[in-house]
Amino acid sequence: MPVLMVFLGGMVGAPVRFLVDRAVQRRHDGVFPWGTFVINTTGSFVLGALGAAAVHHGLGADLSLLLGTGVCGGFTTFSTFSYETVRLMEDGSLAEAGLNAVGSLALGLAAAALGFALLTWV
């Protein structure tokens, strides 16, 4: 059953990632990968909230696997973030590469902490 939960969640998260990335990126010119930046920050917030729901509100293991590992795992993308950062460096966009690397890490951690804090408080 756990593998099925992860599989089903990933089936939702991955296509949503693709659609959100395209929608966000279409609205921004330039080389910065706004789609991936928004996706990973949003996914970090949701995963933080799910963590708090599991710890403080009794979110079950199967639902945690479905939503956390499956949906959030399919939605967020470390490999694309890494590739886009390397691509920015290779293209000579060093400021954008640095902003992507540092900004993604800082905002991702802050978003996860905020999601956890909000669901702990509720």
Side-chain angles (χ1 to χ4, degrees):
M1 191 64 147
V3 172
L4 180 61
M5 293 291 107
V6 173
F7 178 76
L8 293 173
M11 285 178 50
V12 171
V16 171
R17 175 183 69 216
F18 174 78
L19 295 171
V20 169
D21 179 65
R22 295 295 154 228
V24 170
Q25 208 57 45
R26 232 185 348 260
R27 289 168 174 74
H28 293 89
D29 291 332
V31 296
F32 193 80
W34 285 108
T36 303
F37 192 83
V38 167
I39 285 164
N40 286 341
T41 303
T42 304
S44 295
F45 175 84
V46 171
L47 193 55
L50 289 170
V55 170
H56 298 292
H57 302 289
L59 182 67
D62 281 344
L63 200 50
S64 290
L65 284 171
L66 175 73
L67 299 175
T69 307
V71 174
C72 285
F75 181 66
T76 59
T77 173
F78 187 78
S79 58
T80 301
F81 152 76
S82 300
Y83 168 76
E84 289 171 344
T85 303
V86 168
R87 186 183 47 84
L88 287 168
M89 289 188 299
E90 287 179 341
D91 291 345
S93 301
L94 299 180
E96 289 86 352
L99 178 63
N100 192 40
V102 173
S104 290
L105 179 60
L107 243 56
L109 289 171
L114 179 61
F116 192 91
L118 283 175
L119 258 287
T120 297
W121 179 69
V122 170

